[in-house]
């Protein structure tokens, strides 16, 4: 979910269309800060990637979900000329190139990237000379930039999962641990490690229990598994871990949720983003509102009701009468 | 906590021939109110109090509804202006609804469960909205609903500490009565 590089596994007969749409999407998000255009391009890229046969014209593409007139025009242009003027211009533009590059660093978002570029910082070398402009998170993002760019193969994720669960259970055997994100959706590689934790003693009606998370982190530091801390709050840890020598350093996020919110959280953090969007809009059609904490019925005046009891992901699907999807079926 | 007297039914979305909305007026009988036909989108009833009163807590006895919501207003308001006192609250899960299990759950909603900004005002009308989206083959409604007004105020005087470990408020300060034995 928090990965900088969404696994855009461009395969299938329309992968080149998907690639340029993804590039346009990133441009809209990082340079223009237009999240709606970003979402529009992402949706179109997603339907094209699922389409089983090669699209021959923009008109044909318009039949697909999320493809409108303008995207169809771009597909036509790409088919006839093999390239896209808009994309060529973006690629030529130093500023947008620099912003795109800087946002790849953990801790640097579009806003920070734009500020840095305005100050004349255009590449990694510039950044390394100006580390005083960076906060702690960004410095570490820069330090491990090459490693963080590397995808985590599923085999390594499996070993990481065992290790993480083992360390949590050492802290307290009652912890429930789920590695979410693309790994849970069964993908071959992941961008980072997204861990969700809960404890049977912790409910949302209780006061916050920061100790629950801190105990896990202490255990992981002692075991030399967690190497750096980017941030540690009551409910969320962001940091860097490493399986053992010779392995790259990996970004890891660990969040703790009360047990009654745990399944809404695992659903949300398993994704994909588009799956979540579709499921949430289906929920609204059925008169429910769904977020990473809870599902609530919508009342007669459009106001959300009380949080409904949830003790499995399946129950959330049942509330909104949505056919249950296993995590590996949520890759849209 | 005195029970608020219900005067009459102002309106209802539908009612069963036997299980009429008027049944809600008399809490002594265990007669219920149900909508007329299965699968109705929601079932609602508007009740009139004898006089405008603050609402302190609500007891609801369910009859096959999945969610129950309570809104408050005054006779001069139009129904659309009614405000939500108790948000849609769950009485039956999807599975229970489908299997028609636990259809008569009773829940009590104390002051902490009600909209905090409406508690201090007086109201003379309530609208109760029930829904049952999980089973379109049953009629649903309420078996009873009770509204309670705030407890009568006892003459204001400082409360004697009941146990050894307790706190009292003196102006802006909190006084803590410590357990003497723990002191030394």
């Amino acid at each position: 979910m928090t990965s900088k590089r969404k696994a855009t596994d461009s395969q299938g007969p329309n992968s080149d269309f998907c690639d340029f749409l993804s590039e346009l999407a990133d441009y809209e998000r990082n340079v223009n800060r237009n999240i709606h255009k970003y979402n529009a391009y992402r949706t179109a890229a997603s339907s094209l990637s699922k389409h089983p046969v090669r699209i021959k014209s923009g008109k044909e593409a318009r039949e697909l979900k999320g493809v409108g007139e303008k995207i169809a025009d771009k597909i036509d242009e790409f088919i006839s000329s093999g390239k896209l003027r808009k994309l060529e211009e973006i690629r030529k533009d130093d500023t947008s190139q620099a912003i795109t590059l800087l946002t790849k660093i953990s801790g640097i978002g579009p806003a920070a990237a734009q500020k840095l570029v305005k100050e004349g910082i255009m590449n990694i070398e510039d950044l390394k000379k100006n580390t005083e402009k960076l906060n702690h998170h960004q410095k570490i993002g820069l330090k491990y930039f090459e490693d963080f760019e590397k995808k985590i193969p599923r085999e390594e994720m499996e070993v990481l999962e065992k290790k993480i669960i083992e360390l949590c259970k050492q802290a307290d055997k009652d912890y429930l641990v789920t590695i979410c994100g693309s790994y849970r959706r069964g993908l071959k590689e992941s961008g980072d490690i997204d861990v969700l934790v809960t404890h049977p003693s912790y409910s949302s009606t209780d006061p916050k229990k920061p100790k629950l998370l801190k105990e896990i982190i202490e255990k992981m530091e002692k075991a030399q598994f967690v190497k750096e801390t980017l941030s540690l709050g009551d409910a969320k840890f962001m940091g860097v871990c490493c399986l053992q020598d010779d392995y790259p350093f990996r970004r890891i996020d660990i969040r703790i949720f009360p047990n009654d919110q745990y399944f809404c959280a695992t659903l949300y953090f398993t994704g994909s983003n588009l799956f979540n969007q579709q499921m949430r809009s289906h929920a609204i059609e059925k008169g429910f509102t769904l977020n990473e904490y809870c599902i609530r019925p919508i009342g007669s005046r459009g106001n959300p009701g009380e949080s409904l009891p949830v003790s499995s992901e399946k129950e959330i699907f049942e509330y909104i009468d949505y056919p249950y999807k296993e995590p590996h079926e949520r890759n849209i | 906590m005195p029970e608020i007297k219900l005067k009459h039914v102002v309106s209802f979305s539908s009612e069963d021939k036997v299980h009429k909305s008027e049944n809600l007026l008399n809490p002594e009988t265990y007669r219920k109110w149900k909508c007329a036909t299965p699968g109705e989108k929601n079932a609602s009833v508007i009740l009139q109090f004898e006089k405008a009163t603050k609402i302190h807590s609500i007891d609801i006895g369910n009859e096959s509804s999945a969610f129950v919501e309570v809104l408050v207003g005054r006779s001069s308001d139009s129904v659309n202006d009614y405000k939500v006192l108790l948000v849609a609250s769950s009485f039956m899960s999807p599975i229970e609804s489908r299997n028609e299990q636990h259809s008569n759950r009773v829940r009590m909603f104390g002051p902490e469960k009600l909209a905090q900004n409406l508690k201090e005002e007086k109201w003379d009308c309530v609208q109760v909205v029930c829904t049952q989206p999980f089973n379109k083959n049953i009629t649903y409604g309420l078996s009873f609903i009770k509204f309670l007004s705030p407890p009568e105020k006892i003459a204001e005087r400082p409360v004697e500490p009941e146990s050894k470990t307790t706190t009292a408020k003196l102006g802006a300060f909190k006084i803590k009565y410590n357990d003497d034995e723990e002191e030394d």
Side-chain angles (χ1 to χ4, degrees), chain B residues 156-175:
Chain B
E156 286 202 22
R157 59 186 155 86
V159 183
E160 291 290 319
E162 281 178 20
S163 71
K164 280 182 181 175
T165 311
T166 181
T167 59
K169 247 189 144 189
L170 184 70
F173 300 96
K174 260 191 184 165
I175 299 173

Side-chain angles (χ1 to χ4, degrees), chain A residues 286 288 297-309 315 318-320, chain B residues 67 69 71 79-80 82 84 87-90 94-95 98 107 113 127 129 134:
Chain A
K286 291 282 176 181
F288 294 86
I298 298 173
S300 59
R301 303 300 192 268
N303 52 309
E306 70 173 355
S307 300
L308 301 172
E315 282 181 22
E318 266 168 17
Y319 276 122
I320 64 170
Chain B
F67 304 115
E69 184 187 19
L71 300 93
V79 181
N80 289 330
Y82 281 25
V84 180
V87 298
S89 297
S90 168
I95 294 173
R98 249 173 274 139
R107 287 185 68 182
K113 288 273 190 184
Q127 184 189 26
V129 183
F134 309 125

